[in-house]
Amino acid sequence: VLGLMTLAGVAFAIVPSVGSAHQSRPHHESGSSVPHYRHIVEIMMENTSYGSIIGNSLAPNLNALASRYGLATNYFGVTHPSEPNYVANIGGSYFGIQDDNQFYCTPALAATDPNCAGTTVNHTVSAQSLADQLTAAGMTWKGYFQSLPYVDPSNVVSSGPAANGPYSFKWPSNTDALYASKHNPFINFTGTQGALSQMVPDNQLGADLLSGGLPNYSLVVPDQCHDMHGTGGCSDTNSLIQAGDQYVATTVNEVMSSPTWKEGNNAIVITWDEDDYSDQGQPGTGCCGADPGGGHVATIVITNHGPRPV
């Protein structure tokens, strides 16, 4: 368990440990033991336990990456359900959120907005996120979301039942929710929730890689038919694992075959927000005092310094 540190932030510090001994070492800033990484791409998958991925023949690409590069064998989701894990991923805390309600929800809205039922804490957080800290340091970030609904910039509705674009609760419908706002943590933080130009469809990733426009930190979020979560029309567990495995393989190949990957020190982090509740209630399965804990999940770290030593 990583404590009150975001996974992506930790990746800036830990990825050198999986570099090959015979490859060139990461550049270190003067007087610092922490290497500088030019780009980190994090791919966030969903609701799958460590044991359902590692060793599973339905996920050959993920297992090949886990075998060749760095695999965290003792990493846990923070809590359940999804939204607080995404918030903690870039915020260092889940801020008491324990549901998947809309990002604008407050306890006062619990009785009047159907998307806020049961809300006990504010879901919009004024604390600085990783993205805020990067911006303050003159660095860049972006979220790439598969099936992100288009919104006309002149007709953005950012709260309430009619919220659209990245603020959509579920899109295209509640039963077939390919995109869900609970998987977009940038809208939970006051410093980033209005950054429409930095929340883009995932197909823009390829263009940014080719143009040299990849930000320092990228969060790639597949839709719910490709992140292993499932929604209407895609609910078979085995098929979801296969689809997610292929999505990761395609995305990783796109990053690693780009000219951007070859410039400076770069890394890819593949992780899951939480497990499938298979170890719910067991002690030590979460982080930061969360009850319930998020469960044992796989986390794979790839760097452009080559495979880990055998």
Side-chain angles (χ1 to χ4, degrees):
V1 177
L2 296 182
L4 293 176
M5 304 173 73
T6 66
L7 176 61
V10 170
F12 277 92
I14 70 170
V15 287
S17 65
V18 301
S20 172
H22 66 271
Q23 299 285 336
S24 61
R25 292 190 172 275
H27 170 71
H28 289 67
E29 299 295 335
S30 177
S32 172
S33 61
V34 179
H36 172 76
Y37 274 78
R38 184 172 295 184
H39 305 286
I40 289 179
V41 177
E42 181 181 14
I43 305 171
M44 181 68 83
M45 306 299 286
E46 277 276 320
N47 294 44
T48 311
S49 67
Y50 181 97
S52 295
I53 295 299
I54 303 304
N56 189 341
S57 61
L58 296 175
N61 297 297
L62 285 162
N63 278 276
L65 293 171
S67 176
R68 183 171 176 81
Y69 297 98
L71 171 65
T73 59
N74 195 37
Y75 185 80
F76 295 81
V78 174
T79 187
H80 291 302
S82 290
E83 186 174 343
N85 284 292
Y86 283 79
V87 168
N89 186 61
I90 69 162
S93 169
Y94 61 99
F95 299 99
I97 299 169
Q98 294 276 219
D99 56 52
D100 285 332
N101 289 349
Q102 269 286 43
F103 66 95
Y104 60 77
C105 289
T106 65
L109 289 173
T112 58
D113 189 318
N115 294 330
C116 297
T119 297
T120 58
V121 298
N122 290 353
H123 284 41
T124 291
V125 180
S126 60
Q128 278 206 332
S129 69
L130 173 64
D132 294 316
Q133 293 172 333
L134 288 169
T135 299
M139 303 176 77
T140 54
W141 64 272
K142 190 177 286 185
Y144 297 89
F145 300 91
Q146 187 180 22
S147 299
L148 180 72
Y150 172 76
V151 60
D152 182 341
S154 65
N155 189 35
V156 176
V157 180
S158 59
S159 65
N164 57 19
Y167 311 106
S168 302
F169 186 49
K170 295 179 179 180
W171 188 90
S173 69
N174 285 349
T175 56
D176 298 290
L178 293 174
Y179 173 84
S181 60
K182 64 183 180 179
H183 295 165
N184 182 350
F186 300 115
I187 59 176
N188 287 93
F189 291 87
T190 56
T192 57
Q193 62 185 192
L196 284 172
S197 65
Q198 290 159 278
M199 295 179 276
V200 301
D202 68 336
N203 57 17
Q204 190 171 319
L205 178 64
D208 288 349
L209 285 164
L210 291 175
S211 69
L214 186 73
N216 299 112
Y217 169 64
S218 303
L219 177 63
V220 179
V221 181
D223 67 29
Q224 294 200 102
C225 281
H226 296 88
D227 65 3
M228 303 186 182
H229 183 287
T231 186
C234 60
S235 58
D236 177 71
T237 299
N238 289 344
S239 297
L240 287 168
I241 289 176
Q242 291 175 312
D245 181 73
Q246 187 57 57
Y247 183 95
V248 170
T250 300
T251 304
V252 167
N253 182 66
E254 188 172 39
V255 174
M256 295 180 71
S257 63
S258 71
T260 300
W261 181 251
K262 301 173 180 64
E263 300 171 356
N265 303 313
N266 303 298
I268 302 168
V269 179
I270 306 159
T271 192
W272 281 256
D273 69 326
E274 56 186 319
D275 77 349
D276 52 9
Y277 290 78
S278 57
D279 55 10
Q280 187 175 11
Q282 297 180 24
T285 58
C287 174
C288 322
D291 182 15
H296 191 197
V297 297
T299 294
I300 301 164
V301 180
I302 306 165
T303 75
N304 64 345
H305 313 305
R308 66 180 181 182
V310 177

